[in-house]
Amino acid sequence: MTSWHDFFIGLAIGLGVTAIVWIIYLFKVRSTRIKGEVEVRKYKDMLTSRMEIESEGVEKLKRSNEELKTQNENLRISLQTMSQKPGRKEIERLQVYQKAVDRLTINSPGFGPAWQAALKESEEEFSKTYSGVLPFIRRVIPGKTNAQLMDIDESSNGDEA
């Protein structure tokens, strides 16, 4: 009977060791699962916060884009309005006159020195309008000029020719 008794003692010891190893294994599996769940939760939180940050950035870019589109449209309208203001035609006319004067200076031998003298006198007179009594008089009494810059009557030009 000792052999059966020893067999059962050995079996009990083996089952006890197996149970202890199995319990340790279950604790390790459970702790690994808990760590995995914690890590997955952490990654989900990180992903959620990153998506929120990126969506805020995209919304800011969209708002900025809309603001820039609005500013662009406003500037386009302002540019169109500015190009149609009364002073624009006069500036264009002065540029045409300047090109004509440059061509005359180059092509006509006697025109250059006479033009330079007249230009210098006009510049001196114009610079005097910013100092002394002359500016006050010009503000109070508007000066007359023979230059016609605004609207050139097309019908009178066609009749003379």
Side-chain angles (χ1 to χ4, degrees), residues 21 62 78 101 120 152:
V21 169
K62 284 182 181 179
S78 297
V101 166
K120 187 172 183 178
I152 297 175

Side-chain angles (χ1 to χ4, degrees), residues 68-85:
L68 289 174
K69 283 182 181 179
T70 305
Q71 287 178 358
N72 188 20
E73 184 65 21
N74 290 341
L75 288 174
R76 187 186 64 77
I77 291 170
S78 297
L79 179 65
Q80 202 171 32
T81 304
M82 296 283 270
S83 67
Q84 294 175 355
K85 284 192 174 181

Side-chain angles (χ1 to χ4, degrees), residues 35-151:
K35 285 180 185 177
E37 289 173 357
V38 168
E39 196 167 330
V40 166
R41 200 173 315 126
K42 181 178 89 174
Y43 287 141
K44 282 183 180 180
D45 291 341
M46 286 173 52
L47 182 62
T48 303
S49 63
R50 181 174 177 147
M51 288 176 63
E52 288 173 358
I53 290 170
E54 287 180 358
S55 67
E56 288 174 8
V58 168
E59 288 299 318
K60 284 181 183 178
L61 286 175
K62 284 182 181 179
R63 282 192 303 257
S64 175
N65 191 17
E66 289 299 319
E67 289 174 9
L68 289 174
K69 283 182 181 179
T70 305
Q71 287 178 358
N72 188 20
E73 184 65 21
N74 290 341
L75 288 174
R76 187 186 64 77
I77 291 170
S78 297
L79 179 65
Q80 202 171 32
T81 304
M82 296 283 270
S83 67
Q84 294 175 355
K85 284 192 174 181
R88 184 72 178 160
K89 288 184 180 181
E90 289 81 14
I91 291 172
E92 289 174 2
R93 176 65 63 178
L94 288 174
Q95 287 175 349
V96 169
Y97 288 159
Q98 182 61 43
K99 283 186 180 182
V101 166
D102 291 342
R103 286 184 182 143
L104 279 174
T105 304
I106 293 171
N107 295 334
S108 301
F111 179 75
W115 169 251
Q116 294 297 327
L119 182 64
K120 187 172 183 178
E121 289 174 9
S122 297
E123 286 176 348
E124 288 174 2
E125 182 181 331
F126 189 74
S127 66
K128 288 179 183 177
T129 61
Y130 288 114
S131 62
V133 178
L134 194 55
F136 177 73
I137 294 172
R138 292 220 185 238
R139 283 188 210 133
V140 174
I141 305 169
K144 291 185 179 180
T145 180
N146 292 334
Q148 186 179 14
L149 293 177
M150 294 295 279
D151 293 323

